Amino acid sequence: MFIVTCHIQRYKCKVCNNVFYEKDTFSNPKETLSKETIFIILEKLKSANVTFESVARDLHISRQNVIDVFDRYIDYTPGKLPEILSFDEKHVNKNMTDNVYLFIIADFKKVEIYDIVHSRHKYVLERYFSKIPLEERLKVRYITMDMWETYLDVAKRFFRNAKIAIDSFHVMRNINNAMNSIRISVMQKYNLKTDSIEDNHPYYYLLKKYRYYFVSEFDNLTDKRFYNRKMKMWFDKHSLLKYLLEIDPRLEKAYYLTSRYREFNKTTSYENAAAELEILIDDFYSSNLPSFFEVAKTLSAWKEYIINSFITIPDALTKPSTKDDEPKPRRLSSGAIEGLNAIIDKINVNANGYSNFWRFKNRVIYVINKNVAILNEPKKKPQNRK
């Protein structure tokens, strides 16, 4: 690290006795840090892996200096609404706000944060969206969300022209939960309540140890043969799954329904989704499995929005996983915002939590969004909003 000592010349007018100083080219007026140091601080804070503390350590300045620079030079204000919005929530410590969930609004196409609201309560969201001009809200074409009534009510009220799509992951999670409830019900019939799972009934042992077989994509399971000591048998994924499903006919029926929905979710087009979903709902209703009957009611209630999730956006492309892969149009989903939530988690965890919501919001958006402006005229005082 280099230390530059700059001596500023002071002048005194012989006529009026006013005192003035030569221009300081190293720092902004009334700043204790040089422009270069401020730039380095802000550049380092673009990374989710660094904290105010770590930047202060690197530059041999105080943590408060770093915070003050960030608070004075970064103050995000959302612009016009994107045409495709994604709604989600993020759990945080109550020290940050009076609510444990923040409301995240993301730009589906850019995969960036549009804004973060301090609460997901309905009256807070209504107040927030009512401040956005109607003509701007009417330009929103699509909204993705999970199956939470508050988000649906708010979206329908404030975004009249938008088609609402339920994220397919949340639908699949409901179906996997139904599958698991059947597995657990069968498993408990064979529970000998031993201290070790190895000493329990073979069926209990298998249903517990290989529970992921019931909710995983079959093609993603390992193709390798393996030996199970307790059962004294060699298995591959085909033989093990066959063995598991033969334990109880309810398992076979539930697995069949789960697999059918998973295949429907992967392969169906928007044009065919309505007809195929109707067939699935009927089969879920007639399965005589209580947990799948409940799923059928959920699918019926959210049918329109599940069908909308099969809409693909031509100019919103996936990132190729290899050089040979071609980017494909993305389906409406909350996948992008889920990825952003992982970055939000990292920022919060690395700092051991934030107590100032506005600082946290600005830091998250500054890290995630590509072009957050740095203020030309820094604020006079650090933020003290809560």
Side-chain angles (χ1 to χ4, degrees), residues 38-95:
I38 290 170
F39 175 79
I40 292 171
I41 290 170
L42 295 176
E43 189 64 26
K44 284 179 176 289
L45 289 174
K46 283 293 288 181
S47 169
N49 293 316
V50 307
T51 65
F52 296 127
E53 184 70 39
S54 65
V55 173
R57 253 191 333 265
D58 288 348
L59 299 179
H60 304 285
I61 58 179
S62 74
R63 177 175 176 272
Q64 192 58 50
N65 273 154
V66 176
I67 291 172
D68 287 348
V69 167
F70 183 78
D71 284 351
R72 293 182 65 201
Y73 282 87
I74 306 298
D75 191 18
Y76 173 81
T77 302
K80 290 188 175 181
L81 284 168
E83 65 175 10
I84 308 179
L85 298 175
S86 292
F87 292 169
D88 204 0
E89 65 278 336
K90 192 82 209 78
H91 185 273
V92 292
N93 193 304
K94 248 193 170 182
N95 290 337

Side-chain angles (χ1 to χ4, degrees), residues 237-302:
K237 65 180 182 181
H238 297 275
S239 59
L240 178 57
L241 183 61
K242 184 174 183 295
Y243 197 104
L244 291 169
L245 297 183
E246 287 177 348
I247 292 174
D248 191 292
R250 289 179 295 165
L251 289 172
E252 187 173 15
K253 186 183 288 187
Y255 183 80
Y256 171 68
L257 292 171
T258 302
S259 299
R260 277 184 57 199
Y261 193 92
R262 187 178 290 115
E263 188 65 19
F264 159 78
N265 186 53
K266 280 176 59 181
T267 61
T268 302
S269 66
Y270 175 63
E271 292 72 24
N272 298 329
E276 293 186 27
L277 183 58
E278 283 290 353
I279 295 170
L280 278 167
I281 291 172
D282 287 343
D283 289 347
F284 279 35
Y285 270 128
S286 59
S287 67
N288 293 323
L289 299 172
S291 59
F292 280 84
F293 186 87
E294 291 302 314
V295 169
K297 289 200 295 185
T298 301
L299 295 179
S300 296
W302 295 85

Side-chain angles (χ1 to χ4, degrees), residues 176-190:
N176 285 339
N177 289 342
M179 175 71 251
N180 268 326
S181 72
I182 301 295
R183 178 188 61 81
I184 292 168
S185 174
V186 173
M187 185 178 73
Q188 290 302 333
K189 285 190 347 182
Y190 301 100

Side-chain angles (χ1 to χ4, degrees), residues 102-345:
L102 304 180
F103 180 67
I104 313 294
I105 310 169
D107 183 329
F108 175 85
K109 283 188 179 179
K110 290 184 177 180
V111 193
E112 292 185 346
I113 301 288
Y114 172 77
D115 206 358
I116 302 175
V117 184
H118 71 277
S119 168
R120 66 171 185 171
H121 287 165
K122 190 173 183 179
Y123 73 92
V124 174
L125 301 185
E126 288 175 338
R127 188 170 58 195
Y128 175 87
F129 286 119
S130 66
K131 294 177 182 178
I132 299 175
L134 175 61
E135 59 270 22
E136 193 174 331
R137 287 187 270 120
L138 291 177
K139 292 176 183 176
V140 175
R141 294 172 56 209
Y142 303 104
I143 298 174
T144 72
M145 62 179 70
D146 57 25
M147 287 188 284
W148 204 48
E149 291 284 353
T150 294
Y151 296 169
L152 181 63
D153 292 345
V154 169
K156 288 168 73 174
R157 177 179 173 186
F158 290 94
F159 300 93
R160 300 174 199 165
N161 292 343
K163 284 189 175 181
I164 298 164
I166 296 303
D167 182 51
S168 60
F169 169 80
H170 291 89
V171 181
M172 200 66 234
R173 185 169 62 186
N174 276 355
I175 294 169
N176 285 339
N177 289 342
M179 175 71 251
N180 268 326
S181 72
I182 301 295
R183 178 188 61 81
I184 292 168
S185 174
V186 173
M187 185 178 73
Q188 290 302 333
K189 285 190 347 182
Y190 301 100
N191 190 359
L192 302 179
K193 298 184 178 178
T194 58
D195 291 336
S196 170
I197 185 176
E198 302 283 342
D199 300 327
N200 215 311
H201 191 286
Y203 288 169
Y204 180 92
Y205 163 81
L206 288 172
L207 292 170
K208 185 84 169 178
K209 183 174 177 64
Y210 298 106
R211 58 191 177 274
Y212 60 92
Y213 264 61
F214 294 95
V215 295
S216 298
E217 181 71 49
F218 186 73
D219 291 341
N220 293 339
L221 298 171
T222 180
D223 289 316
K224 293 181 180 178
R225 291 181 75 238
F226 54 93
Y227 184 75
N228 186 283
R229 291 181 182 178
K230 177 175 173 63
M231 304 302 294
K232 298 179 182 177
M233 293 174 66
W234 282 91
F235 288 111
D236 59 26
K237 65 180 182 181
H238 297 275
S239 59
L240 178 57
L241 183 61
K242 184 174 183 295
Y243 197 104
L244 291 169
L245 297 183
E246 287 177 348
I247 292 174
D248 191 292
R250 289 179 295 165
L251 289 172
E252 187 173 15
K253 186 183 288 187
Y255 183 80
Y256 171 68
L257 292 171
T258 302
S259 299
R260 277 184 57 199
Y261 193 92
R262 187 178 290 115
E263 188 65 19
F264 159 78
N265 186 53
K266 280 176 59 181
T267 61
T268 302
S269 66
Y270 175 63
E271 292 72 24
N272 298 329
E276 293 186 27
L277 183 58
E278 283 290 353
I279 295 170
L280 278 167
I281 291 172
D282 287 343
D283 289 347
F284 279 35
Y285 270 128
S286 59
S287 67
N288 293 323
L289 299 172
S291 59
F292 280 84
F293 186 87
E294 291 302 314
V295 169
K297 289 200 295 185
T298 301
L299 295 179
S300 296
W302 295 85
K303 182 168 56 179
E304 175 190 346
Y305 315 114
I306 293 171
I307 292 167
N308 286 343
S309 75
F310 289 90
I311 295 172
T312 56
I313 307 301
D315 56 343
L317 302 177
T318 58
K319 289 184 179 179
S321 53
T322 67
K323 291 180 180 178
D324 299 327
D325 287 345
E326 290 290 328
K328 298 176 182 177
R330 282 158 50 207
R331 262 179 66 181
L332 289 175
S333 75
S334 297
I337 201 169
E338 295 291 345
L340 299 180
N341 275 343
I343 301 174
I344 295 173
D345 266 337

